[in-house]
Amino acid sequence: MASQVIESGMRIMSKKLFAEFLGTFALVFLGAGAIVSGKADLQGVAFAHGLAIFVSISALAGISGAHFNPAVSAVMLATKRICGQDFLYFVLAQLVGAAVASLAINYIYGHANGYGLPAIASGTSVGAGVLAEILGTALLVAVIFGVAVDKRSVAASHPGLPIGLTITAVIFSVGPITGAALNPARWFGPALVSGDWTNAWVYIVAPIAGALLAGFAYQAVAKPE
């Protein structure tokens, strides 16, 4: 009986990890791919990322919860919605998905348009970039909590649309400043392929800080069910 329980748990976890891999792959392949193709302006890049998240959440949320972002997984761990082991496995799957997507983009397009790597704009201070990533991610996570975590939401049955639209809107605002990664995995894939680790800490720390800020604020104020 114990072995059957363990085997069942492993099957469930493997499905969750595949969903996290696939969703993060889609985000990077479609989002960064829109940049690397050279055919999309800021609006096109914003909608590519938003649509990638919309369809991925719609397809995969029922399997893994559709984090697709280490910052989202971090706040789910901090608010005790996943355990430490699941967090580590989720983040690993997300990073691998981002890396594979970036490798595929590089193979298709070659060394073009900075590999789709988010970067702080020339003339923008690192501090401004950090604040932009914190606030952008905080807005995203606030919406995630509002429409996906809090089951009182009128959008609880279809959270992909408001979450995708939030990413699109944030990219309109933050994209010209930092590239609007909002997601350590979205930064990691192109960074790994390009070998460019400039301001790595910004794209790791700031999204996690923003996610934690929004998650705990929502917990304290709105008290999701």
Side-chain angles (χ1 to χ4, degrees):
M1 179 63 72
S3 62
Q4 292 177 337
V5 172
I6 294 172
E7 184 178 351
S8 176
M10 291 178 64
R11 284 199 303 268
I12 292 171
M13 179 53 68
S14 65
K15 292 176 182 178
K16 290 181 178 181
L17 297 183
F18 176 72
E20 288 298 307
F21 167 88
L22 185 59
T24 312
F25 175 92
L27 172 64
V28 176
F29 185 75
L30 298 176
I35 297 171
V36 175
S37 72
K39 303 298 183 181
D41 56 10
L42 177 63
Q43 289 76 18
V45 170
F47 278 110
H49 284 82
L51 289 171
I53 285 295
F54 166 52
V55 298
S56 296
I57 290 175
S58 298
L60 302 169
I63 301 173
S64 70
H67 297 183
F68 312 145
N69 183 340
V72 173
S73 295
V75 74
M76 295 304 171
L77 172 66
T79 57
K80 300 180 180 180
R81 288 181 166 82
I82 60 172
C83 67
Q85 184 179 50
D86 286 359
F87 167 74
L88 293 175
Y89 286 153
F90 272 37
V91 170
L92 179 60
Q94 293 155 5
L95 295 179
V96 172
V100 172
S102 292
L103 288 169
I105 291 170
N106 187 51
Y107 182 80
I108 294 169
Y109 293 106
H111 309 305
N113 294 322
Y115 302 86
L117 176 67
I120 296 176
S122 176
T124 299
S125 69
V126 173
V130 169
L131 182 60
E133 286 290 312
I134 288 175
L135 294 179
T137 309
L139 286 170
L140 171 61
V141 170
V143 172
I144 290 172
F145 268 69
V147 301
V149 175
D150 195 336
K151 302 308 178 184
R152 298 169 297 182
S153 170
V154 296
S157 62
H158 50 276
L161 182 58
I163 294 171
L165 289 175
T166 301
I167 288 177
T168 299
V170 172
I171 291 176
F172 284 151
S173 175
V174 178
I177 305 299
T178 65
L182 318 177
N183 180 339
R186 169 62 185 84
W187 163 83
F188 173 78
L192 180 67
V193 173
S194 67
D196 185 351
W197 305 97
T198 304
N199 293 317
W201 71 272
V202 173
Y203 293 100
I204 297 170
V205 174
I208 293 174
L212 294 175
L213 174 66
F216 283 118
Y218 198 98
Q219 289 266 103
V221 177
K223 297 179 181 178
E225 293 182 348

